[in-house]
């Protein structure tokens, strides 16, 4: 499907197409971005707030810096830490791996949710996002309709689009963390930290909900769920498009290539997005070298659209598949930029007094059509199987976390808030239920036992509880349950619902009690779609394939 680029006569074209079939109406929506995108001005320098020219105290005598690095849609098998990686190790990730080697690898680290925005809401607040109603990923209604209409004609399991809920949907900018919630940035800001955000936000864009209004002194990035990495026709870019995927088609047609600084008018990045965000983050480190800072570095790599620099693409000639090679080049670029940020900390003498936390917002997505990105786990982004929830999760803090530690107890994204707050000696909010805990005492052996008796997730009719090494998942749309003993079956191959009735009863009661504590969603689910568990998008689903329905 070619993109509709309209230089003039827009009204006439819309009138002509509006009276024809529904598919053509959706075609307009799908390609509206070419004349509805915001005006994006030329690149200009960002004037970062300059900290003190001299430090009142040396780095080792002042509160630690905290940097949270959040990859986007990175699969468990996208890094080479465990000897695997993209294309059987063809894309080394030494810089990301080094955070685990020089600190702790949280081997059973779980995302806040299986899609990006609720997971980010959990990271920002230290609470299950369902506690305050942030249950579904913000997206335009047109986007949900496009997906349903694209998939419905050929789908074995038909998507459900809820026309009756459209009137109850707020605009995407108002699908946000409630104003009463306290972000980790706001908490640390009050204790004297300079707070910085780079990259993706996806937690609201209306007045009061933007990052610079939710605790960040400075924010450079974009509020939507994705962005172009370069112009599609840039001579230095390699693109990979998935014609089988309506999400991909919508993004190519509608995403801008631009950023905002503290809500400024849009302007172009100076180069490939991940490179640009890293250069600016490095500049901000220099500007803040003499005062404590909190940095939330959230590039959109390796989220679609799949775009890589030709330099990174050329460095992977042994990967024959073009799509995999572009994806691998994006991962190579992300790893190199993580290394650049780590090196800057060393050059400024800050690395020994900086807590670094690295993770991904959720597992790799099925809709890019690559089968091995979450290996060895089943499932994908937008499923509560391990492939959607079990993510790389590392922490490095010299002098506080020993080198080369591994920790096996289940931990979650909700723990980032409490861990960062404890490092900064900032008291946790006492007026609300906090789901996260400070992980440092556990990974260092100062505390024994499990950080969590259970972990819980919900997205509409999909619900999961994890406790004592057992995991119960319900899909209310199908009326199906899965019960797994993860200690014996970490890749979820044996459903024990029929053979373990006592454990099923126990976890059912726990799931129900956890679910009863959650709030009503702030906005309704408008789309439910079937996702095959054991193969990616672009592969025909068969009658005996297991699947889940995902509500959003």
């Amino acid at each position: 499907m070619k993109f509709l680029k309209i230089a003039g006569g827009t009204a006439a074209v819309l009138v002509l197409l509006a009276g024809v079939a529904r598919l053509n109406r959706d075609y307009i929506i799908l390609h509206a971005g070419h004349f509805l995108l915001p005006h994006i001005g030329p690149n200009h320098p960002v004037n970062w707030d300059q900290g003190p020219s001299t430090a009142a105290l040396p780095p080792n005598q002042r509160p630690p810096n905290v940097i949270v690095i959040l990859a986007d849609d990175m699969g468990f098998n996208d890094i080479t830490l465990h000897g695997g990686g993209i294309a059987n190790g063809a894309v080394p990730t030494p810089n990301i791996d080094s955070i685990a080697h020089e600190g702790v690898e949280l081997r059973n680290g779980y995302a806040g949710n299986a899609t990006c925005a609720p997971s980010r809401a959990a990271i920002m607040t230290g609470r299950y996002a369902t506690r305050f109603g942030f249950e579904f990923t913000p997206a335009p209604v047109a986007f949900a309709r496009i997906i349903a209409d694209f998939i419905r004609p050929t789908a074995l399991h038909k998507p459900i689009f809820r026309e009756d809920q459209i009137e109850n949907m707020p605009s995407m900018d108002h699908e946000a963390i409630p104003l009463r919630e306290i972000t980790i940035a706001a908490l640390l800001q009050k204790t004297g930290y300079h707070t910085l955000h780079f990259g993706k936000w996806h937690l609201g864009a209306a007045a009061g909900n933007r990052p610079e209004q939710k605790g960040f002194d400075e924010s450079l990035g974009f509020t939507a769920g994705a962005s172009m990495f370069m112009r599609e026709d840039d001579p230095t870019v390699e693109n990979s498009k998935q014609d089988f995927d309506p999400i991909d088609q919508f993004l190519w047609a509608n995403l801008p290539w631009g950023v905002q600084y503290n809500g400024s008018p849009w302007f172009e990045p100076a180069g490939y997005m991940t490179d640009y965000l890293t250069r600016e983050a490095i500049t901000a480190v220099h500007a803040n070298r003499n005062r404590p800072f909190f940095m939330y570095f959230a590039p959109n790599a390796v989220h679609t659209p799949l775009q890589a620099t030709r330099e990174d693409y050329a460095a992977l000639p042994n990967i024959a598949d073009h799509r995999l090679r572009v994806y691998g080049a994006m991962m190579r670029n992300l790893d190199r930029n993580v290394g650049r940020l780590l090196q800057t900390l060393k050059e400024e003498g800050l690395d020994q007094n900086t807590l670094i936390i690295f993770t991904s917002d959720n597992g790799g997505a099925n809709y890019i059509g690559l089968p091995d990105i979450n290996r060895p786990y089943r499932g994908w982004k937008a499923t509560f199987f391990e492939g959607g929830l079990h993510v790389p999760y590392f922490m490095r803090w010299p002098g506080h976390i020993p080198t080369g530690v591994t920790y096996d107890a289940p931990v979650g994204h909700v723990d980032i808030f409490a861990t960062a707050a404890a490092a900064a000696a900032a008291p946790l909010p006492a007026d609300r239920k906090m789901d996260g805990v400070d992980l440092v005492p556990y990974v260092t052996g100062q505390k024994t036992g499990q950080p969590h008796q259970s972990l819980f997730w919900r997205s509409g009719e999909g619900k999961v509880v994890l406790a004592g090494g057992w995991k119960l998942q319900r899909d209310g749309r199908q009326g199906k349950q899965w019960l797994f003993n993860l200690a014996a079956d970490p890749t979820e191959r044996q459903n024990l619902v029929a053979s373990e009735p006592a454990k099923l009863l126990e976890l059912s009661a726990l799931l129900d009690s956890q679910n009863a504590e959650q709030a009503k969603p702030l906005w309704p689910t408008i789309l439910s779609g079937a996702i095959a568990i054991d193969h990616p998008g672009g592969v025909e689903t068969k009658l005996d394939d297991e699947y889940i329905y995902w509500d959003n």
Side-chain angles (χ1 to χ4, degrees), residues 247-268:
I247 295 174
D248 201 53
Q249 293 196 35
F250 189 93
L251 296 184
W252 281 101
N254 291 282
L255 287 181
W257 178 58
V259 293
Q260 295 176 289
Y261 171 75
N262 279 9
S264 71
W266 286 83
F267 60 95
E268 292 183 347

Side-chain angles (χ1 to χ4, degrees), residues 281-292:
I282 288 171
T283 301
V285 170
H286 293 318
N288 290 280
R289 64 189 180 278
N290 292 321
R291 63 182 173 188

